[in-house]
Amino acid sequence: MKQIFEDTSIAFRLKSDSELERAYFLFKLIANQPLVKIGTAVTNFALNAHLPVEGLIRATVFDHFCGGVNEKDCMSVIDNMYEAGVYSILDYSVEGKTVENQLDHALEKILKVLDFVKEKQAIPFAVFKPTAFARFGLLEKVNQKANLSEDEKAEWQRVVNRYDQVCKKAHQLDVSLLIDAEESWIQEAADTLAWEMMLKYNKEKPVVFNTAQMYRWDRLEFLNRLYQNAKEYGVKVGIKAVRGAYMEKENNRAEEHNYKSPICESKQATDINFDEGIVFMAERLDVFTIFAGTHNEESSYKLMQIMADKGIDNSDQSIWFGQLYGMSDNISYNLAANGYNAAKYLPYGPVRDVMPYLIRRAEENTSVAGQTSRELELLRKERNRRKM
């Protein structure tokens, strides 16, 4: 298959010279693991101490990886990407809240985004994270199938109601809704809720999409179980397939609590698992709609090859490719230029609240072998092309 991801003139067509330089500077910083650790600690300290650093964060890492602080802020980014054929997924990236009114506020935000999705062709999906709607500790307890107190039962019912409210509205508006993944020790509770929503709202088409983290060795079995259940109950299943973002945390917890890590034993095993999951779903498009959330070029080429072999049109709505805003532009924009459904996750929210997301992006880039060096290689290539 033609190697389309090398074209940096398409990849960085929306970046001005100064934005290209900022991206180059940021990825050079991220390539330095000790510096990321120090920078993370200093940033957290500065924010907790209420030092005036939000402007600096906004001008550097925030504006590179986020669309803005609110929906209106994101609109110029969304419009520019859409002109280049790349869709946006507005992601209100506030997570880990524990107070009920904060969880209700997140629900209001997602409901508002659903209206945006309905009105704007450039935004094909809405998205939320389970911990935006539910307290982490409660999810953990439900996941363990522990006895809940009366107050906790009432609290859990409010979580179910939030899920139902947003899924019902997505179904009424006929738009799709991605549910992100969490740590393994709360994921089963989240999976069960997602399945309950699919049973209600995915009879005709996949409105509700769950996420499968393929760095977990048990996810192929999970997909197979999902397929069997979907066939039995007449449900269409939307799945966002990703590798996963909590590897170090997962391995550390498994070691600390003395159980087998849910994470594949190697990067190679994860890559094989991801690709096998994609193949499994691509052979069962009568049930599955695939959102391949990957920054891996080989996996993207493999899915493109599967589509070509099966005679699936590049723009077929049953297969989507997704990357995070600020990363892998060579994949997103070149896919779009070749007629594939390509979307960028566009995080937004108050700078302070989005910091956990940004820190995870920096840590993920330092821990994934080759990701940052590949970004730098492409940025250097484009700088040379522009003779900067």
Side-chain angles (χ1 to χ4, degrees):
M1 178 164 282
K2 182 184 163 195
Q3 301 292 296
I4 66 169
F5 298 148
E6 299 300 322
D7 192 334
T8 60
S9 65
I10 290 176
F12 301 116
R13 61 183 284 192
L14 296 186
K15 281 197 178 353
S16 65
D17 288 355
S18 62
E19 286 169 336
L20 195 73
E21 285 295 279
R22 181 183 66 190
Y24 185 67
F25 169 74
L26 274 176
F27 279 107
K28 284 196 83 169
L29 285 180
I30 289 169
N32 188 322
Q33 200 162 7
L35 204 58
V36 169
K37 281 187 167 25
I38 293 165
T40 296
V42 169
T43 302
N44 279 331
F45 171 79
L47 287 169
N48 291 334
H50 297 281
L51 298 178
V53 293
E54 291 190 19
L56 176 63
I57 294 167
R58 177 85 207 252
T60 52
V61 65
F62 183 92
D63 279 356
H64 180 81
F65 289 111
C66 299
V69 297
N70 54 43
E71 297 90 351
K72 186 180 176 185
D73 228 8
C74 297
M75 293 321 294
S76 61
V77 177
I78 290 167
D79 290 340
N80 287 338
M81 287 202 293
Y82 190 55
E83 279 182 28
V86 176
Y87 294 90
S88 297
I89 299 169
L90 268 177
D91 180 12
Y92 184 60
S93 294
V94 175
E95 57 192 68
K97 298 297 185 184
T98 58
V99 182
E100 287 292 300
N101 65 349
Q102 293 172 330
L103 300 170
D104 287 334
H105 178 66
L107 171 64
E108 287 166 20
K109 280 287 186 184
I110 308 307
L111 292 171
K112 187 175 178 183
V113 169
L114 281 170
D115 289 324
F116 264 79
V117 175
K118 184 62 180 174
E119 292 167 13
K120 204 139 179 85
Q121 203 171 353
I123 313 173
F125 299 90
V127 62
F128 73 90
K129 203 165 162 53
T131 46
F133 286 1
R135 183 170 57 84
F136 191 101
L138 181 66
L139 281 165
E140 193 170 14
K141 206 165 177 182
V142 171
N143 204 87
Q144 293 166 348
K145 298 177 176 56
N147 289 328
L148 302 183
S149 68
E150 289 306 312
D151 284 349
E152 286 169 336
K153 286 176 185 172
E155 185 185 357
W156 182 247
Q157 190 54 53
R158 288 194 293 274
V159 173
V160 175
N161 291 345
R162 289 185 193 106
Y163 263 71
D164 192 64
Q165 202 174 330
V166 77
C167 292
K168 184 178 182 179
K169 181 166 183 177
H171 183 261
Q172 287 171 342
L173 295 177
D174 193 25
V175 299
S176 296
L177 184 65
L178 300 166
I179 304 176
D180 279 343
E182 301 277 6
E183 291 87 342
S184 63
W185 57 98
I186 63 170
Q187 187 59 45
E188 190 180 338
D191 287 340
T192 301
L193 266 179
W195 172 247
E196 287 171 5
M197 296 301 121
M198 287 185 190
L199 279 173
K200 287 182 79 169
Y201 300 114
N202 281 22
K203 292 294 187 181
E204 298 89 23
K205 59 179 285 191
V207 172
V208 179
F209 281 63
N210 198 7
T211 298
Q213 296 164 304
M214 301 309 295
Y215 69 175
R216 285 182 55 174
W217 48 261
D218 64 353
R219 292 297 88 177
L220 269 176
E221 183 190 331
F222 168 76
L223 290 176
N224 188 42
R225 198 164 60 244
L226 207 50
Y227 177 70
Q228 301 301 332
N229 289 337
K231 292 292 279 186
E232 182 179 348
Y233 292 99
V235 169
K236 302 293 184 185
V237 176
I239 286 289
K240 182 178 73 155
V242 299
R243 277 168 169 78
Y246 304 107
M247 186 172 68
E248 286 182 33
K249 188 192 282 190
E250 291 281 0
N251 285 332
N252 290 341
R253 188 178 190 272
E255 189 177 342
E256 187 183 326
H257 292 267
N258 197 29
Y259 62 84
K260 182 181 177 182
S261 173
I263 307 303
C264 292
E265 62 187 15
S266 66
K267 170 73 165 60
Q268 184 185 13
T270 295
D271 290 342
I272 291 168
N273 211 39
F274 182 93
D275 292 340
E276 286 183 353
I278 294 293
V279 169
F280 179 85
M281 291 188 287
E283 289 174 349
R284 294 162 178 82
L285 293 177
D286 58 319
V287 164
F288 287 108
T289 294
I290 303 169
F291 186 100
T294 181
H295 295 259
N296 186 289
E297 294 174 25
E298 286 306 311
S299 290
S300 301
Y301 281 130
K302 281 176 183 172
L303 180 51
M304 292 157 66
Q305 190 64 59
I306 289 168
M307 293 173 72
D309 292 345
K310 290 182 176 296
I312 299 170
D313 189 79
N314 290 5
S315 62
D316 192 293
Q317 292 291 299
S318 62
I319 297 178
W320 286 78
F321 296 80
Q323 289 77 45
L324 298 167
Y325 183 69
M327 292 170 62
S328 299
D329 288 345
N330 66 310
I331 298 178
S332 310
Y333 289 96
N334 281 300
L335 280 170
N338 284 273
Y340 293 92
N341 297 313
K344 285 283 200 190
Y345 253 59
L346 189 63
Y348 75 101
V351 174
R352 179 178 298 277
D353 289 339
V354 175
M355 280 314 297
Y357 168 85
L358 291 172
I359 287 167
R360 206 161 61 244
R361 287 288 71 76
E363 289 173 344
E364 191 178 74
N365 270 283
T366 56
S367 66
V368 176
Q371 177 69 48
T372 302
S373 57
R374 177 61 170 153
E375 296 280 358
L376 282 169
E377 175 198 338
L378 292 160
L379 288 162
R380 279 193 200 100
K381 185 178 175 182
E382 180 61 9
R383 288 168 88 236
N384 291 336
R385 191 188 72 82
R386 295 188 192 186
K387 298 182 169 55
M388 288 172 67

